[in-house]
Amino acid sequence: SHDRRLDRNSGHRASAGHQLNESIRNRRLRAVLAGHYNDKSTARRLLDDSEPTVRGAAIGALHRIGGLDSATIRRLLEDPDAAVRARAVDVAIEHPALDLVPLLLDHDNRVVAAAAFALGERDDDPTTVPALRVVAAEHTDELCKESAVAALSALAAHPDAEHESIITTLLAALEERPPIRRRAIIGLHQFDQERAAAAV
């Protein structure tokens, strides 16, 4: 009898968990569909969902239909979930008024890598070079380093960038693993300086 009660309780818990997962999937699906049907009100409501994957889907939906403004993205960049913050960084690329440099100090590597990539996509702001150099030289995660080196390579073409400091960082990156070295070579190839050409 005791075993049967335990079995019934386990079944109730499993059923409740299944219903919860089903509810999350349904809300995530509603967020995705909102992006296809230009349903901004639904997508905005789901930005405040308790489930991070639903919030992430809502960000994508609003981005798709042009429903995100800088104020909303700024709030999402402070989301407690790292995956949501990283998704917010992705859409913040098109909002140059948003400062993404502080995200390079995020405790989650996904956010740091996304922020470095985004700053490289915004290749019109050479003031981000010092912060990117720190990530490229000192970060412990290889993907973060690779993203920072790629961003520096993109910024190398800017006439007001600190070219000598970028070259120094890219040369140091040639001691890293192959994906990082490849990014560094792409950046160094843009310079006429002898030490850059010799390294290539």
Side-chain angles (χ1 to χ4, degrees), residues 22-142:
E22 189 69 27
S23 174
I24 291 171
R25 282 194 292 270
N26 287 339
R27 299 200 307 275
R28 190 165 60 235
L29 178 60
R30 285 204 303 273
V32 172
L33 290 176
H36 288 277
Y37 291 104
N38 199 31
D39 186 356
K40 292 182 182 178
S41 62
T42 296
R44 287 195 183 106
R45 185 174 70 253
L46 292 172
L47 277 181
D48 296 317
D49 194 272
S50 60
E51 171 60 35
T53 60
V54 177
R55 298 199 298 276
I59 292 173
L62 285 169
H63 180 60
R64 181 188 186 94
I65 58 181
L68 285 172
D69 55 32
S70 294
T72 302
I73 299 173
R74 185 177 291 109
R75 174 173 67 85
L76 294 167
L77 290 172
E78 299 176 356
D79 192 275
D81 186 80
V84 175
R85 293 197 301 278
R87 188 69 183 93
V89 169
D90 291 340
V91 299
I93 293 173
E94 300 171 11
H95 296 258
L98 293 173
D99 183 10
L100 299 180
V101 171
L103 277 301
L104 293 175
L105 299 175
D106 196 277
H107 67 272
D108 191 283
N109 293 336
R110 291 170 294 176
V111 180
V112 176
F117 174 82
L119 291 170
E121 290 293 297
R122 293 178 177 179
D123 56 8
D124 59 346
D125 184 8
T127 64
T128 61
V129 166
L132 288 166
R133 288 187 65 207
V134 172
V135 176
E138 300 178 10
H139 208 282
T140 57
D141 181 77
E142 291 182 3

Side-chain angles (χ1 to χ4, degrees), residues 155-173:
L155 287 161
H158 196 285
D160 296 327
E162 302 170 10
H163 291 151
E164 290 300 323
S165 66
I166 292 177
I167 291 174
T168 298
T169 303
L170 295 181
L171 288 172

Side-chain angles (χ1 to χ4, degrees), residues 1-14:
S1 175
H2 177 68
D3 290 342
R4 285 198 298 273
R5 285 198 302 273
L6 286 177
D7 290 341
R8 283 199 301 272
N9 290 337
S10 297
H12 291 326
R13 285 195 295 271

